[in-house]
Amino acid sequence: MPDIPIPDIQIHAAFDSGNIAVLALSGTEARLAIRKDQGADFFQWFHFRVAGCAGRELVLRLTGLAASAYPLGWPGYHAAVSEDRAEWTRAATTWDREADGGTLTIRHRPSGDLAWFAYFAPYSLERHEDLVARAARAPGVTHRCLGTSLDGRPIDCLDLGEGDVQVWLYARQHPGETMAEWWMEGAIDLLTDPGNAWGRTLRELCRFHLVPNCNPDGSFRGHLRTNAAGVNLNREWHAPSPERSPEVLAIRDAMDETGVHFAIDVHGDEAIPAVFLAGFEGIPSWTERQGAEYARYRQILQRRTPDFQTRLGYPVARPGAANLAMSTNQLAQRFGRSHGCVSMTLEMPFKDNDDLPDPARGWSPARSRQLARDCLAALGEWLETRET
């Protein structure tokens, strides 16, 4: 009896945040490549669906990754996988820098006919719309559109709270860092929960301005770091323009109207397996008091959650050498004298938190949401214990 050939699996990525190119298929094995951000050389984010795979071991090789944006992000990394697009776990993944220009090999045996793979659990624009709609209906919340992206998508902002402290929380300047919007979901849920003590306290002390997704175009297009024009938004804060970065221009103009006392720019880091903060050291207008308040917040957050640490992170800029094109530095410089602004960049891992590893899920949406609650509780304590 002749051998019956095993039908090839099918791989698709023509959907919200999809990104993959199929180079070759043979049975349940595939050779793949990640598409670059349109108009830029960045590539690292992937998100695709595999069909026809029930009970069959998949061998998916993503090639050419030594030239990716952050090749140090691949050692120790495990791809996210889901069969229902709700629960995301981690698949067996290995890295070989020498094979085919740098190859990440994912092996997984789905129980059903379909499986989705992604660099991190995706946060779709549909879920974003649901988040904004739900929050906008909460008591005391107002919604406004700060402007539109290059593709015509709204830059949503949610405002709430009755206090005098102007707080800005914003995420996904880099669209592939989806853990940032999972964090925003956790923050919004806490702040709109009438039964949460920290939520009630913070609403009394602060006026919050929440931008869950600064870069909806890049998010939908499956980009890692850029908008529809291939522009890295977190290098535009010194001089945003309608032609290159209308998203930043809209947000920064709104910040100029309110002023900023405290801000967190939420991100994900490809290489460092830890949660950490980056501050504004090196801005020309640096003051010791401003720096001390940032250090005090870090200390409170480290005490409140074991998911945060201060050993690992980015190098600190030399005095006067801060990059004012980045939002954290720009805000601390722009609003330092008028508001004593304390701004920071929060980084979460694409890999796992090596201090508290979870082999099944790695760093996850649930941990991102919980970290938001911890960050807000730390903000509450920071405000209640500050010197007047």
Side-chain angles (χ1 to χ4, degrees):
M1 182 176 181
D3 292 336
I4 299 174
I6 299 174
D8 290 346
I9 54 176
Q10 301 94 47
I11 297 178
H12 302 95
F15 46 75
D16 183 349
S17 79
N19 185 330
I20 207 68
V22 179
L23 304 180
L25 282 177
S26 178
T28 60
E29 298 192 12
R31 182 170 172 265
L32 309 169
I34 301 174
R35 291 184 290 104
K36 293 181 178 180
D37 290 8
Q38 181 172 309
D41 287 332
F42 298 113
F43 71 97
Q44 194 118 358
W45 169 263
F46 61 88
H47 180 198
F48 58 91
R49 187 188 80 168
V50 181
C53 54
R56 307 164 71 188
E57 184 183 44
L58 301 173
V59 181
L60 310 170
R61 296 183 175 90
L62 281 66
T63 62
L65 299 185
S68 62
Y70 300 97
L72 291 179
W74 303 119
Y77 166 79
H78 292 84
V81 59
S82 176
E83 294 185 40
D84 61 5
R85 300 201 305 154
E87 179 70 15
W88 289 84
T89 58
R90 298 291 177 140
T93 309
T94 57
W95 166 246
D96 186 340
R97 194 184 190 285
E98 304 304 320
D100 208 356
T103 297
L104 190 80
T105 300
I106 304 168
R107 297 177 184 272
H108 185 69
R109 188 184 297 273
S111 59
D113 286 325
L114 294 170
W116 284 259
F117 296 86
Y119 191 33
F120 194 84
Y123 201 102
S124 69
L125 283 184
E126 188 68 20
R127 189 180 182 102
H128 167 87
E129 294 289 343
D130 290 342
L131 173 66
V132 171
R134 182 172 72 249
R137 289 174 57 84
V141 178
T142 58
H143 170 271
R144 54 181 168 146
C145 176
L146 301 183
T148 55
S149 68
L150 287 170
D151 284 345
R153 294 187 172 92
I155 308 302
D156 292 309
C157 181
L158 300 162
D159 301 305
L160 71 156
E162 304 300 325
D164 297 326
V165 180
Q166 299 291 334
V167 176
W168 281 82
L169 308 176
Y170 54 107
R172 293 190 79 180
Q173 289 202 74
H174 298 150
E177 297 165 13
T178 55
M179 63 283 289
E181 195 158 6
W182 289 109
W183 187 98
M184 290 296 301
E185 182 176 297
I188 290 168
D189 286 349
L190 181 145
L191 290 170
T192 57
D193 181 356
N196 187 285
W198 278 121
R200 296 177 65 180
T201 299
L202 288 166
R203 290 194 300 274
E204 292 175 1
L205 294 172
C206 304
R207 181 65 174 168
F208 283 92
H209 313 279
L210 312 170
V211 183
N213 189 336
C214 299
N215 193 343
D217 294 351
S219 301
F220 187 83
R221 289 167 175 254
H223 287 188
L224 175 71
R225 287 180 71 81
T226 66
N227 69 358
V231 171
N232 180 349
L233 295 184
N234 202 28
R235 299 299 185 272
E236 292 286 303
W237 283 74
H238 62 310
S241 70
E243 298 77 22
R244 286 173 51 87
S245 49
E247 304 90 346
V248 173
L249 182 61
I251 296 167
R252 204 189 70 174
D253 283 353
M255 290 174 168
D256 283 345
E257 293 176 2
T258 66
V260 182
H261 292 103
F262 183 92
I264 300 180
D265 178 16
V266 192
H267 285 260
D269 183 87
E270 290 80 1
I272 299 176
V275 176
F276 60 97
L277 288 172
F280 49 89
E281 300 89 347
I283 63 170
S285 65
W286 168 273
T287 66
E288 291 299 323
R289 180 176 178 83
Q290 203 177 1
E293 286 301 293
Y294 166 61
R296 191 168 67 85
Y297 179 82
R298 291 205 322 166
Q299 292 166 1
I300 294 171
L301 183 59
Q302 186 173 23
R303 177 168 47 78
R304 295 198 70 94
T305 172
D307 261 337
F308 176 73
Q309 56 79 55
T310 58
R311 304 183 318 279
L312 303 175
Y314 298 146
V316 173
R318 300 186 308 277
N323 184 354
L324 297 183
M326 300 173 68
S327 70
T328 287
N329 294 326
Q330 177 64 215
L331 296 184
Q333 175 72 18
R334 196 178 191 88
F335 300 104
R337 290 193 176 93
S338 59
H339 291 73
C341 176
V342 174
S343 57
M344 61 201 72
T345 303
L346 175 67
E347 298 281 358
M348 293 172 280
F350 277 90
K351 298 179 182 180
D352 200 349
N353 180 347
D354 280 1
D355 289 337
L356 289 170
D358 179 354
R361 293 175 178 80
W363 190 258
S364 64
R367 293 177 80 174
S368 303
R369 289 192 297 258
Q370 179 57 49
L371 180 64
R373 300 181 190 105
D374 294 329
C375 288
L376 287 172
L379 172 60
E381 182 177 339
W382 183 78
L383 290 169
E384 290 185 334
T385 56
R386 63 182 169 167
E387 295 181 9
T388 57

